[in-house]
Amino acid sequence: MNGLMMSYPLALAQILDHAYRIHGDKRVQTVLPNGKMHGYTYAALYERVKRLANAITKLGIQRGDRVATYAANTYQHLELYYAIPCIGAVLHPLNVRLSAAQLAQIVHEAEDKLIFVDGVFAEQFEEFRNEVGCKRIVGFNLMPTDTDASYEQLLREVEPTYTWNIQDENWAMGLCYTSGTQGEPRGVLYTHRSMFLHTLAVNQADVFGLTEADVVLPLVPMFHAMAWGLPYAAMFAGADMVLPGSKPTCLTNLIAENGITVAAGVPTVWAKVYPELWKRRRDISSLRRLIVGGEAMSPTLIEAYEKDLGVEVCHAWGMTEMSPTGTFSKLRRAHQNLSDAKKWRIKAKQGRPVPGVELRLTTETSTAFTELPWDGETIGEVQVRSPWTASRYYKSESTTEQFTTDGWLRTGDLATIDAEGYMQIVDRAKALIRSGGESISSIALETALLKHPQVLEVAVVGVPDEKWGERPFAVVVLAEQAHKNISDALKQQLAAEFPKFWIPDQFVFVDEIPKTSVGKSDKRSLLAQLVSQNLLG
Ligand code: AMP
């Protein structure tokens, strides 16, 4: 027997309408290319989104067409985040840090009909413009004149009224490509329904927990996995938003001057900004929470933020394929009386599944996957299913390497899960170092090395070894005032925690560790660099 409730499509237009009707006075602030701030209300944004919807329609975009953006975190990009899906087209944010050749291939596969380009990236955009063929281009923010149209002009020429008509919640709303660290970038095609449910899920109190009283700073780029869903979550909650634009800016000032309460970004950003936040001693007491993900954050850094700056750090784990949020790490009531050291250890785990997400820990036998126990020790591959997880990739045959035959996404992440449901990533399956037939976790070694006060950044990679197959090799960035050779001290520190064969034979000290297009340590480039500089061996 079917129930008798309304059939009501879960569509992003409802998020926008709600934000306008209920929170029309809330503000979006953007750092402009000249460093000044642009600010307006949700009500003003709403009118511009409706104009933009008319403008995009006038340019010939129809339901299902892909429309790309090549832009920083700005109010125009936010307008596009709503206008494109709300007319039934598909928002495709391009990663501005990819090479011209990679981008051309992605745009070709996506068959983007129109590209919105942020003028601050005009020069680099030119590099791949010729390769992508005769796409129509609309520019904003100081875009040179050789575009098909200017954004502001388009908005002026059309009416501020538009009736949304998303008939089916399963229409595609967005297309994001994976960052390609593990191979070729692959397209993930989100639906209105999946993004709507992801928005509700992350806004739960024990997840991002955004409220009307928050001022949210998404430092995660809007091309990285839909900015972790924040543009939708913040507006549905009625929170103010501060968008950092494209230029590195003084984060301490941005936080202090705008009363930021929640900020989100990868650990590298927080490692870099910590000394600045600590030294400048501006009033950052508004900042109640950091949402950190994309890579593991070290317990030492979590402790530094919580103890020295009084900011709660919440570790999140996910993937582009998961819209992207899968787990979130907050302490339970039962943890309140634990020692600080135990608390940081729990917080450094990647967290418990967001309600709505199912995890399983598996090992592969010749015929099937066997589920492993959640005992905090057994390591297995994490598999996921949820209403906001991809069921296959865009324009690509699904393989059993990616999706299981019984409907789970194979994340390729190796982890333990404890009895309370806290997952801890041990490594990417492909990054686990195999030495003499035994496994060594690069993440565990990195986390331990980051506890040394003179270590700023570290990447441990597996390098080929004739005798053992592979050996761990540590590449370290030291704090400015550190002694240059502290290899022995680091080895000693690791010896207290790990078996002898885990200790890297070699440490190399460098000024910088290369980063991927989304700001994570780029171990593939790092290995190539080590080889080209003859540093291995
Ligand atoms: P992406 O789709 O580019 O966001 O990459 C997803 C991958 O990033 C995951 O499969 C993990 O390997 C890694 N990742 C994401 N969040 C975390 C985290 N909090 N800790 C460790 N690894 C993470």
Side-chain angles (χ1 to χ4, degrees):
M1 184 182 187
N2 285 343
L4 295 173
M5 305 308 280
M6 290 180 184
S7 168
Y8 186 84
L10 305 178
L12 295 186
Q14 289 164 36
I15 296 181
L16 181 68
D17 284 345
H18 178 83
Y20 165 65
R21 286 216 185 91
I22 309 301
H23 305 291
D25 61 335
K26 289 314 187 75
R27 293 187 70 77
V28 180
Q29 303 282 126
T30 301
V31 183
L32 295 175
N34 63 9
K36 295 199 171 136
M37 295 297 278
H38 169 280
Y40 65 0
T41 60
Y42 280 6
L45 171 134
Y46 188 74
E47 191 201 302
R48 284 170 58 90
V49 171
K50 290 229 155 174
R51 285 183 186 275
L52 189 53
N54 280 319
I56 299 171
T57 309
K58 204 169 139 191
L59 288 169
I61 297 301
Q62 296 178 355
R63 199 199 117 199
D65 286 344
R66 271 75 67 207
V67 179
T69 56
Y70 187 83
N73 290 18
T74 65
Y75 65 98
Q76 297 99 328
H77 207 169
L78 184 64
E79 290 163 3
L80 290 159
Y81 251 62
Y82 282 95
I84 297 169
C86 288
I87 66 163
V90 181
L91 164 73
H92 176 201
L94 296 171
N95 181 337
V96 300
R97 298 193 196 127
L98 292 184
S99 70
Q102 278 173 310
L103 274 177
Q105 196 191 334
I106 286 173
V107 169
H108 178 74
E109 180 176 291
E111 296 180 85
D112 295 315
K113 286 230 166 110
L114 177 64
I115 307 180
F116 283 88
V117 181
D118 189 333
V120 294
F121 299 126
E123 229 169 85
Q124 64 184 67
F125 177 73
E126 285 307 313
E127 279 180 38
F128 88 92
R129 180 183 183 149
N130 295 336
E131 298 197 36
V132 298
C134 53
K135 302 283 174 195
R136 302 196 69 182
I137 292 162
V138 176
F140 54 84
N141 270 349
L142 314 171
M143 190 68 188
T145 46
D146 57 343
T147 54
D148 297 292
S150 124
Y151 190 85
E152 292 303 325
Q153 172 122 25
L154 281 178
L155 295 197
R156 275 196 297 275
E157 284 169 355
V158 290
E159 293 297 312
T161 49
Y162 187 100
T163 307
W164 311 126
N165 186 22
I166 303 298
Q167 293 154 16
D168 183 343
E169 61 187 19
N170 290 309
W171 283 2
M173 63 67 51
L175 176 65
C176 269
Y177 276 75
T178 58
S179 52
T181 328
Q182 313 300 327
E184 285 309 302
R186 283 190 288 257
V188 180
L189 193 59
Y190 309 111
T191 62
H192 278 264
R193 172 188 156 82
S194 68
M195 197 49 74
F196 193 100
L197 290 172
H198 180 266
T199 306
L200 293 180
V202 296
N203 271 349
Q204 294 173 91
D206 274 338
V207 192
F208 294 177
L210 303 181
T211 74
E212 174 278 340
D214 278 314
V215 182
V216 179
L217 173 67
L219 289 171
V220 45
M222 287 171 82
F223 57 72
H224 184 203
M226 290 289 172
W228 301 351
L230 286 164
Y232 300 123
M235 282 188 59
F236 216 5
D240 282 347
M241 239 188 293
V242 175
L243 300 172
S246 62
K247 284 223 183 102
T249 177
C250 172
L251 271 182
T252 315
N253 289 347
L254 201 62
I255 293 167
E257 284 160 19
N258 294 281
I260 304 294
T261 62
V262 177
V266 292
T268 346
V269 171
W270 302 119
K272 229 184 212 163
V273 79
Y274 171 77
E276 180 190 309
L277 288 172
W278 175 239
K279 264 191 252 150
R280 294 194 53 141
R281 296 196 172 269
R282 283 207 62 176
D283 180 8
I284 56 153
S285 56
S286 61
L287 189 60
R288 68 177 180 89
R289 176 177 288 178
L290 300 188
I291 300 171
V292 187
E295 239 185 339
M297 175 124 162
S298 80
T300 323
L301 195 57
I302 295 177
E303 178 178 347
Y305 268 93
E306 299 224 349
K307 255 192 173 157
D308 304 346
L309 302 176
V311 180
E312 184 193 22
V313 177
C314 292
H315 210 174
W317 165 85
M319 301 174 79
T320 306
E321 289 86 335
M322 292 158 63
S323 298
T325 319
T327 64
F328 199 75
S329 199
K330 276 185 74 184
L331 294 179
R332 299 177 58 212
R333 191 174 48 181
H335 299 144
Q336 294 311 325
N337 295 327
L338 293 179
S339 66
D340 279 357
K342 281 189 179 151
K343 283 186 190 166
W344 314 137
R345 266 208 299 280
I346 297 170
K347 298 209 82 173
K349 295 187 175 191
Q350 278 71 11
R352 305 206 291 168
V354 170
V357 173
E358 277 185 84
L359 297 186
R360 70 179 185 187
L361 201 59
T362 62
T363 184
E364 196 170 3
T365 63
S366 54
T367 49
F369 291 104
T370 310
E371 277 212 48
L372 296 169
W374 290 20
D375 57 11
E377 285 179 8
T378 311
I379 297 172
E381 186 202 15
V382 182
Q383 298 186 351
V384 178
R385 63 180 181 187
S386 81
W388 51 90
T389 296
S391 62
R392 49 178 291 196
Y393 291 105
Y394 175 70
K395 285 200 182 165
S396 144
E397 286 300 315
S398 314
T399 66
T400 46
E401 289 262 291
Q402 300 156 342
F403 300 96
T404 66
T405 47
D406 60 346
W408 294 71
L409 168 75
R410 299 187 63 180
T411 66
D413 284 335
L414 298 177
T416 61
I417 304 180
D418 66 23
E420 292 178 301
Y422 285 83
M423 181 190 76
Q424 180 157 31
I425 301 283
V426 172
D427 230 324
R428 296 284 307 165
K430 287 184 185 150
L432 201 68
I433 301 163
R434 299 285 297 172
S435 186
E438 302 281 344
S439 299
I440 299 175
S441 157
S442 64
I443 292 187
L445 288 173
E446 287 161 6
T447 306
L449 287 167
L450 282 167
K451 288 185 198 154
H452 193 285
Q454 295 182 334
V455 173
L456 211 59
E457 265 188 90
V458 60
V460 174
V461 288
V463 300
D465 183 272
E466 265 183 31
K467 185 165 174 202
W468 301 107
E470 247 185 342
R471 291 293 303 146
F473 187 102
V475 182
V476 180
V477 179
L478 291 175
E480 266 171 31
Q481 72 290 2
H483 301 297
K484 278 295 163 230
N485 199 343
I486 56 166
S487 309
D488 289 342
L490 294 178
K491 281 185 184 174
Q492 259 175 28
Q493 180 170 319
L494 294 179
E497 255 186 83
F498 302 106
K500 210 164 153 219
F501 76 93
W502 276 52
I503 317 276
D505 302 320
Q506 261 188 290
F507 288 77
V508 167
F509 299 95
V510 297
D511 292 335
E512 211 179 347
I513 288 171
K515 299 287 180 306
T516 67
S517 61
V518 290
K520 309 183 194 189
S521 302
D522 185 347
K523 293 191 177 176
R524 278 205 297 189
S525 303
L526 184 61
L527 265 174
Q529 257 180 32
L530 295 174
V531 171
S532 72
Q533 295 169 8
N534 277 331
L535 288 173
L536 301 182

